Amino acid sequence: MDDFWSGIGVDGVDLHLEPDAANGRRAGLERALRDAVREGRLSPGTRLPATRRLAVELGISRGTAKAAYDQLVAEGYLTARQGSGTRVASLPSVDPDAPEAVARARAPRFDLRPGSPDVGAFPAAAWLRALRRAIATAPSLAYDYGDPRGRIELRTALSGYLGRARGVIAPPDRIVITSGYVQGLALLTRVLGGDIAMEDPGLPFHRDVVRHNGGGVVPVRVDERGVCAQDLGEESAVIVTPAHQYPTGVTLHPERRRALTDWARARGGMIVEDDYDGEFRYDRQPVGALQGMAPGRVVYLGTASKTLGPALRLGWMVLPPHLVDRVADAKLHSDHHTETIGQLALAELIDSHAYDRHVRACRLRYRRRRDQLLDRLGERRVRGIAAGLHALVEVADEAEALSRAEAEGLAVGHLGGHWHTPGEGRPQGLVIGYGTPRERAYPDALEVLAKVLDGG
C-alpha cells in the first residue's frame, strides 16, 4: 500500500488518506484515518465509505478495512449506527483556551455594537429570483475573466439607481465595482498617495487601511456641523461621511459642504465620500450625496453591506474621469475583478425595483427601532438619530459604563476608541447600533442598556 487514495468515497466524494504502511496495512489505515480526523481534514459528521467500497479502492481486504473502522469507533474517532453508516465523531476541543472556545465563552447576551445591519432581513427570496434570472440570461462570457471595472449590467443599473436615489452623477463608464468599501479605499490610497485627511473621531480600521496601503493619515476635527473643512491644508484627499458621520452621527452642514468643495477645487485635492448608510434617513428624504455638487473633485463610495449584507462583498466607486483608468488598473492588479454572478444578481435586483422595495422596508424597520431606542432612553442625550443604523449616547464615565455593560452581557461600541489620539478631556459616549439584534431580542437589549446607563 504505497499510496492511500480513494477516488470514490461516498456518493462520488473523494477521500484522501496519507500513506503509512510501515506497521502493516490495518495499522497504516488506522493511523491515516486518525490523523485526518485530528487535523480536521475529515470534519465531524462526514460519512465514510462502506468497508466493501473502501477495501476495493485501497486494494485491501474488507476484513482489514472493517477492523480499522472498529478500532477507531472504540477510540471515539468514529461512530457507527445501523442504517446511517460510519461517520466522523465530534471530538471535544483539546485546548480550552483556543480562539473558538474563548469566542463562545465571551459571546454577549445582547449585541448593540454598530456597523452591521439586520442580516436576518436579507431578502433571500428576491435575491434567489434575481439570481435565477441573471444566470438564465447571462452570456457564456460572463463566466470568464472580466472587466476590472465590473460587469456593464451592474454599472448601468447603478448609474440609474444612484442618480435617482442619491443624486449622484454616475455614467456607467465612471463606475468601478469593488469587493466592498475597504477595497475601494485601499485602491484609492494607492492611486492618490500622499497624506489623506480623515475625520476625528472616525473608524480606526479605515485609518489602518490607508496606512497599510502607503498613505499618511492626518486627523481633521468633527464638530456639531460635521468635518471642519477650514482645518484642511495640503493633503491629497479628505475622507468624509457627510450623510451620517461615523461615529457622532452628525449630518454635514450645507456651509461645510461648500467649504469642502471649495478646498478641493482650490487645492486640487480629492474628496472621498463614504456613503455607507445614506439611504436611511428618518426625519425627511435622504440627503443627496455630496458628489452631485462637484463630480470632478469627489470620489463616491457606496456598498451593499448595509442595505443587503456584508457577506455579498459588493461595493462601487463613482470616479472623476481622470481617475477611472488608474483605479481600474489598480483593481486589475489587486484581484483582476470582483466575482461576476453576484454583480449580475444585484443588477437584476435593482432593475426589477426589488432593491428599492427592500431599502424602503428596511428604512421603516430601522426607524421603528430608532424610535424604540429614544422612547426607552427618555431624556438622555442621544445624538445622530436623524439617520443611519447607530446613535451616540453621551455618558459621564465611558469606562464605567462599559464595565457595567460587560457585566450585563451587553456589547456596545464606545467613542473613546475612535479618536486619532485618545486623551483626557475628550467627549465620552456609547455608540449604539440598532441594526444587529433580532426583532424579538431588541426590547430586552434596550432594557439592559437602560439599566447600564442608569448605573444599575
Side-chain angles (χ1 to χ4, degrees):
M1 191 167 62
D2 296 328
D3 263 331
F4 272 8
W5 170 258
S6 170
I8 296 180
V10 179
D11 297 327
V13 176
D14 288 339
L15 174 64
H16 175 75
L17 300 176
E18 298 293 338
D20 182 1
N23 297 314
R25 289 174 178 267
R26 172 183 162 180
L29 177 57
E30 288 175 12
R31 178 172 295 180
L33 285 167
R34 192 181 292 114
D35 289 347
V37 173
R38 283 173 173 168
E39 295 166 6
R41 290 184 285 113
L42 287 176
S43 58
T46 300
R47 184 174 179 180
L48 298 182
T51 53
R52 186 186 304 277
R53 176 173 292 181
L54 183 64
V56 171
E57 286 296 308
L58 300 181
I60 60 177
S61 71
R62 185 185 180 193
T64 298
K66 185 176 186 306
Y69 276 11
D70 289 345
Q71 178 62 31
L72 293 178
V73 168
E75 294 178 8
Y77 288 95
L78 304 179
T79 61
R81 293 182 181 177
Q82 187 70 29
S84 63
T86 303
R87 297 179 181 271
V88 177
S90 296
L91 300 180
S93 173
V94 297
D95 181 5
D97 295 323
E100 296 84 358
V102 173
R104 286 194 297 271
R106 296 178 180 174
R109 286 194 304 143
F110 302 105
D111 193 348
L112 290 177
R113 287 172 292 193
S116 293
D118 180 3
V119 293
F122 180 80
W127 182 262
L128 184 58
R129 287 193 296 270
L131 189 61
R132 285 172 173 163
R133 287 194 294 267
I135 291 176
T137 59
S140 58
L141 287 177
Y143 300 97
D144 203 347
Y145 293 106
D147 189 332
R149 295 174 299 171
R151 290 294 304 184
I152 187 59
E153 296 91 339
L154 179 54
R155 289 189 284 128
T156 301
L158 283 170
S159 177
Y161 173 78
L162 294 174
R164 60 181 166 79
R166 302 297 299 125
V168 177
I169 300 172
D173 61 0
R174 287 171 49 188
I175 296 175
V176 172
I177 306 301
T178 65
S179 300
Y181 171 81
V182 168
Q183 186 185 47
L185 179 58
L187 295 175
L188 274 177
T189 301
R190 293 176 213 163
V191 168
L192 296 176
D195 288 337
I196 296 178
M198 301 185 74
E199 295 172 329
D200 188 18
L203 194 63
F205 178 63
H206 290 173
R207 299 197 289 269
D208 292 341
V209 171
V210 169
R211 293 188 182 104
H212 186 76
N213 287 275
V217 173
V218 177
V220 58
R221 291 183 302 125
V222 171
D223 62 18
E224 68 279 359
R225 289 191 165 195
V227 67
C228 296
Q230 67 271 22
D231 292 353
L232 294 172
E234 300 294 334
E235 296 84 9
S236 63
V238 56
I239 301 172
V240 294
T241 49
H244 188 231
Q245 200 275 332
Y246 189 86
T248 67
V250 301
T251 298
L252 189 62
H253 191 275
E255 290 181 2
R256 294 287 175 83
R257 288 183 165 226
R258 289 190 290 271
L260 267 182
T261 56
D262 288 345
W263 168 84
R265 293 188 180 102
R267 301 282 188 173
M270 297 303 305
I271 302 168
V272 181
E273 179 176 12
D274 177 4
D275 197 32
Y276 68 102
D277 64 359
E279 289 93 343
F280 302 127
R281 181 85 188 192
Y282 308 123
D283 59 344
R284 57 172 182 256
Q285 288 295 313
V287 176
L290 177 64
Q291 190 263 5
M293 294 179 61
R297 302 311 310 173
V298 178
V299 176
Y300 175 91
L301 274 70
T303 173
S305 293
K306 300 299 185 290
T307 53
L308 294 173
L312 294 181
R313 306 313 305 141
L314 286 172
W316 42 89
M317 310 168 70
V318 182
L319 297 152
H322 70 281
L323 289 180
V324 174
D325 289 343
R326 294 169 62 191
V327 171
D329 184 68
K331 170 72 173 172
L332 175 67
H333 290 90
S334 174
D335 65 354
H336 202 299
H337 65 89
T338 297
E339 67 89 18
T340 297
I341 306 306
Q343 292 188 56
L344 294 174
L346 180 55
E348 181 65 35
L349 201 70
I350 293 172
D351 287 340
S352 67
H353 300 298
Y355 186 75
D356 292 73
R357 292 191 292 273
H358 172 70
V359 169
R360 285 198 297 272
C362 287
R363 190 182 297 132
L364 290 173
R365 182 183 306 111
Y366 294 140
R367 177 170 183 167
R368 287 195 297 270
R369 291 191 175 193
R370 193 260 337 233
D371 291 346
Q372 285 178 268
L373 173 69
L374 294 178
D375 289 344
R376 187 61 190 86
L377 297 189
E379 300 299 320
R380 289 190 174 274
R381 172 79 168 162
V382 184
R383 298 170 54 189
I385 59 173
L389 304 180
H390 77 273
L392 177 64
V393 181
E394 295 184 355
V395 296
D397 191 326
E398 193 174 286
E400 183 181 343
L402 287 173
S403 178
R404 289 197 298 266
E406 183 177 7
E408 295 289 341
L410 175 67
V412 294
H414 63 105
L415 190 57
H418 292 82
W419 299 105
H420 285 240
T421 306
E424 297 290 336
R426 297 282 196 181
Q428 300 188 60
L430 301 184
V431 186
I432 307 301
Y434 45 84
T436 301
R438 299 293 183 267
E439 289 292 339
R440 284 185 290 184
Y442 187 54
D444 291 338
L446 293 182
E447 289 299 318
V448 174
L449 174 62
K451 180 180 178 181
V452 166
L453 293 174
D454 290 338

